[in-house]
Amino acid sequence: MYCSICRIFGFLIMDKLIDSEKAKELRRLIEMSERIVLTCHVRPDGDAIGSTLGLWHLLKTLGKDATVVVPDKAPAVLSFLPGFKEIAVYTCHGEFCESVVRESDLIICCDFNTPSRQDALAPLIQSAHSRKVLIDHHREPDAFADLMISYPDMSSTCELVFRLIASMGFYADVNLDCATSLLTGIVTDTRNFTVNCKHPDLYEILMHLLEKGVDKEKIVKESLNTKTYWGLKLEAFAISERMKVFQNHRCALITLSREDLERYHYERGDTEGLVNRPLEIKGITYSIFMREDPDCVKVSARSCDDFPVSEICKDLYGGGGHLQAAGGEFHGTLDECREKLVRAMSDYDKYLKQE
Ligand code: 5GP
Ligand code: MN
């Protein structure tokens, strides 16, 4: 009895963080829609795939015709997720994606704050006549959806989705597949509860997901601690041969050229997590990783001590993200990308904590 009162009380606390009017409106939109599309950002990560698949499983339980449509392929490490094979990838199944988007009544946009984060899929989503909902945790979202559910303080979009589900009164409809998807996003965005996880409620959500039967150990192993043979070799090479430490700026920079990547048989997802590694060096406050992709230099940044790498990504690489985890793109050579950072580095010393 005491326990169930605690749990009910717990839910009340969780609900307080979500605007109940927004949850009510989302429930209304879901109930009045039959064909629902769930979509996310390009180069989707665990939170993007976890939040869309999590909602997909919920909507299926509710009897809806739902489809996850993503801009490009998700990393293979996420293939353990239930429903992964059902995901429609725009770069592979363009015509199918076009028809489901055009025939949908509702599009739910997860884990991105501006249409350009969807690359080539953006025009299709933006021109669709369906109602749109944004569910996201990035700062300063563009107002492109009819219903904007933006909570930048949350650890992950998956955390937000769980809270919304509870607020909408659908907690009983969360099955094991939904719970597994949602915990994956929380685990990947918090790196297994090591960053961005100060809010005590997050552990209550973990408890509820465990009660649904999720296998947390498997999720951590599959989504964070699994690499290909070449992926592990590439990581070791990058740290040993391609990392430069700028001690005065407490910065570490890793760059990988096309040639480096080819030498190690690079496949999408192989450098996942690499940017975090230099933060293990005592005295390093932020880490930047630049990878020479076919279309651009992809920049990833991570920090500790609230150092705003999002500012660097915004100012220098037209990107953004969170204070301690951000990214951007550079159109030019890898050397130019590196030089741009090195030249600007001292501008950001003001954010370093006094020792
Ligand atoms: P990652 O380094 O894992 O690619 O991304 C880290 C964070 O930065 C994520 O929250 C992601 O949404 C954001 N991010 C990554 N790349 C970009 C980008 O090109 N533009 C913007 N605005 N955000 C990005
Ligand atoms: Mn996220």
Side-chain angles (χ1 to χ4, degrees):
M1 179 66 179
Y2 171 76
C3 196
S4 60
I5 289 171
C6 280
R7 302 245 167 109
I8 292 163
F9 187 58
F11 270 124
L12 290 177
I13 291 171
M14 286 208 280
D15 285 358
K16 271 189 194 154
L17 295 169
I18 297 280
D19 177 341
S20 62
E21 288 306 311
K22 296 218 168 183
K24 220 182 280 170
E25 178 61 5
L26 177 60
R27 182 175 173 136
R28 193 183 70 84
L29 288 172
I30 288 173
E31 283 175 342
M32 67 191 280
S33 305
E34 275 316 311
R35 285 177 295 271
I36 303 176
V37 162
L38 303 144
T39 190
C40 64
H41 58 78
V42 71
R43 297 186 199 95
D45 57 5
D47 194 29
I49 296 297
S51 55
T52 48
L53 274 182
L55 279 168
W56 183 75
H57 288 295
L58 176 84
L59 294 174
K60 292 214 122 12
T61 304
L62 297 176
K64 302 294 172 183
D65 177 355
T67 312
V68 176
V69 174
V70 302
D72 58 350
K73 272 192 184 164
V77 287
L78 297 175
S79 61
F80 75 98
L81 282 175
F84 184 87
K85 284 205 183 78
E86 307 291 320
I87 295 173
V89 180
Y90 186 56
T91 49
C92 306
H93 317 108
E95 271 180 33
F96 174 77
C97 293
E98 272 161 32
S99 75
V100 281
V101 168
R102 299 238 176 273
E103 285 164 18
S104 66
D105 333 283
L106 179 66
I107 300 177
I108 304 182
C109 300
C110 297
D111 201 38
F112 66 100
N113 60 355
T114 177
S116 64
R117 289 283 288 139
Q118 292 207 293
D119 275 8
L121 179 59
L124 177 62
I125 299 293
Q126 294 306 309
S127 65
H129 296 298
S130 341
R131 282 176 289 269
K132 293 185 194 82
V133 177
L134 171 128
I135 302 180
D136 180 48
H137 72 136
H138 293 89
R139 282 189 291 178
E140 298 170 10
D142 290 345
F144 65 87
D146 305 292
L147 174 61
M148 300 283 294
I149 306 180
S150 166
Y151 285 84
D153 289 340
M154 297 220 181
S155 68
S156 51
T157 300
C158 281
E159 177 189 347
L160 174 54
V161 166
F162 179 88
R163 291 182 190 278
L164 277 167
I165 290 173
S167 303
M168 286 189 292
F170 290 138
Y171 178 71
D173 300 293
V174 172
N175 62 17
L176 177 57
D177 291 345
C178 173
T180 299
S181 306
L182 296 182
L183 186 57
T184 297
I186 296 174
V187 158
T188 54
D189 265 23
T190 64
R191 296 209 73 73
N192 194 18
F193 300 88
T194 56
V195 292
N196 212 6
C197 54
K198 292 197 180 80
H199 204 300
D201 275 9
L202 189 60
Y203 301 89
E204 194 183 348
I205 293 174
L206 173 62
M207 180 190 81
H208 289 300
L209 293 173
L210 288 167
E211 281 176 348
K212 292 281 182 183
V214 291
D215 185 345
K216 177 171 177 286
E217 286 165 30
K218 179 172 183 227
I219 290 172
V220 172
K221 168 83 180 105
E222 298 279 354
S223 64
L224 285 181
N225 297 336
T226 296
K227 282 199 178 296
T228 60
Y229 170 81
W230 285 110
L232 189 64
K233 301 261 284 185
L234 177 61
E235 182 166 305
F237 166 79
I239 294 167
S240 149
E241 304 298 324
R242 295 288 184 263
M243 182 176 71
K244 186 165 164 44
V245 168
F246 298 83
Q247 206 72 56
N248 293 344
H249 306 286
R250 282 183 243 157
C251 170
L253 169 65
I254 293 178
T255 53
L256 288 177
S257 68
R258 218 43 255 149
E259 211 184 342
D260 294 335
L261 296 167
E262 278 163 17
R263 186 169 152 204
Y264 285 89
H265 309 277
Y266 170 78
E267 278 175 34
R268 178 187 287 262
D270 280 352
T271 56
E272 202 58 47
L274 172 61
V275 65
N276 295 285
R277 299 299 308 274
L279 293 179
E280 294 170 27
I281 306 170
K282 202 169 164 57
I284 291 297
T285 299
Y286 67 108
S287 161
I288 311 260
F289 167 49
M290 298 173 180
R291 186 185 61 223
E292 191 180 13
D293 280 356
D295 53 332
C296 67
V297 178
K298 180 69 202 142
V299 178
S300 268
R302 298 289 186 276
S303 68
C304 50
D305 293 338
D306 290 334
F307 181 94
V309 278
S310 46
E311 291 298 306
I312 295 182
C313 292
K314 190 169 85 184
D315 298 346
L316 306 182
Y317 304 115
H322 311 283
L323 212 62
Q324 301 196 144
E329 292 177 3
F330 180 77
H331 296 272
T333 67
L334 184 59
D335 278 343
E336 288 164 352
C337 186
R338 184 195 292 124
E339 277 315 300
K340 193 165 188 182
L341 173 70
V342 173
R343 268 199 307 274
M345 225 175 242
S346 52
D347 297 348
Y348 299 93
D349 287 348
K350 61 180 182 249
Y351 297 115
L352 293 169
K353 281 219 173 96
Q354 299 299 322
E355 281 183 322

